[in-house]
Structure formats: structure tokens, C-alpha cells
Amino acid sequence: MTREEKFMQEAILLSGQSIYKNEGGPFGCVIVKGNEIVGRGYNKVTSHNDPTAHAEVEAIRDACKNLKSFQLQDCEIYTSCEPCPMCLGAIYWARPKIVYFANNRQDAADIGFDDSMIYEEMKSPIEERKIPIKNLGREEAIKIFEAWKNKPDKTEY
């Protein structure tokens, strides 16, 4: 078994924990730095009443806490399923060097986890999306953006 296969097996084992503990859907994830697992997560959406408690997000939070960093540079993500749009966004913000996945998005759709509507919504103009998205309060909010832009001691990310 290769190093990568070993870490993927850990992610797959976590995906089973989620369903056997009745905490959420069948998804697991580990984050590796060097040869060490620095973050673990499995789906806890239903047990935490949190739609963002996906395996990848849970693992990213765990790894960032353990590494005391808000980015995962030089880390690898092993996830039991191709990341959904939300998790993919979180992964890009975390900046790992690579992502490995086992099941693909069609496999997930086949068992009731179909994200195709979200992928389609992301391509649609804001005014045509299923959930109305309205611009409001920009005049005040832009002042805070300007303050950030001019803040000399900010932590860039």
C-alpha cells in the first residue's frame, strides 16, 4: 500500500464513523503534513444541526487549530468524496498543495447527495438565482473595506 493509499484509507474509515455513530452523511477527511495526520473530520451535519459541518470543513478546522495557522500550505487533503462546492471553496481558502478524493460527485448524487443545483446556481447571474440575493447597505459597508485597505498592521491572507 502506498503512502497516499494509507492516508485515503484513514479518510474512508472516518466516513464510516459518521454513519455508524449516526452523526451525519458518509464522508470523511484527513489532512496530512509531511507524514503526519494533522487534521481529521467526518460529516456531522445532522448531529450538530450545522449545514457547514462537512468532513472537509471539520478537518480543515482541526488541522488549522493543531497547526496554529489559518492556512494549510504544504499539506495534503485526503477526502472520501469529491468536495462539494462549499468544501471546495474552503479548500481553496486553506491553500493545501493537493487534494485526493475517492468517490466522485456522481457517486454522491447516486445516494442522495446531489450538488448539481449549486454548481448550476454558481453559473447563473445573481438576479436569476433560486434564492434571492439583494445588494443592501453598500454605502456604509464600503467604508469598512476602505479601513481594511488602509490598515497598516493587518494580517494578510
Side-chain angles (χ1 to χ4, degrees), residues 30-102:
V30 296
I31 298 177
V32 175
K33 186 166 187 169
N35 284 313
E36 179 186 354
I37 294 176
V38 295
R40 288 178 167 81
Y42 58 83
N43 187 288
K44 296 180 181 175
V45 168
T46 57
S47 60
H48 287 187
N49 292 317
D50 180 353
T52 69
H54 289 201
E56 296 89 342
V57 172
E58 293 289 308
I60 288 169
R61 289 173 179 159
D62 188 44
C64 287
K65 180 183 75 172
N66 292 333
L67 295 173
K68 296 176 177 45
S69 174
F70 53 82
Q71 293 186 338
L72 299 175
Q73 292 164 328
D74 299 320
C75 291
E76 303 165 31
I77 295 180
Y78 295 82
T79 182
S80 66
C81 188
E82 182 178 356
C84 75
M86 177 188 71
C87 292
L88 190 58
I91 288 166
Y92 273 92
W93 281 115
R95 295 180 175 95
K97 65 181 181 179
I98 192 166
V99 176
Y100 296 95
F101 67 92

Side-chain angles (χ1 to χ4, degrees), residues 120-145:
E120 290 304 313
E121 282 289 282
M122 290 169 58
K123 293 187 229 174
S124 297
I126 287 178
E127 58 278 352
E128 294 176 19
R129 294 186 182 165
K130 290 179 177 30
I131 297 175
I133 300 174
K134 307 280 184 182
N135 187 245
L136 179 68
R138 184 172 180 270
E139 289 175 12
E140 289 300 311
I142 200 73
K143 293 174 187 173
I144 304 301
F145 273 17

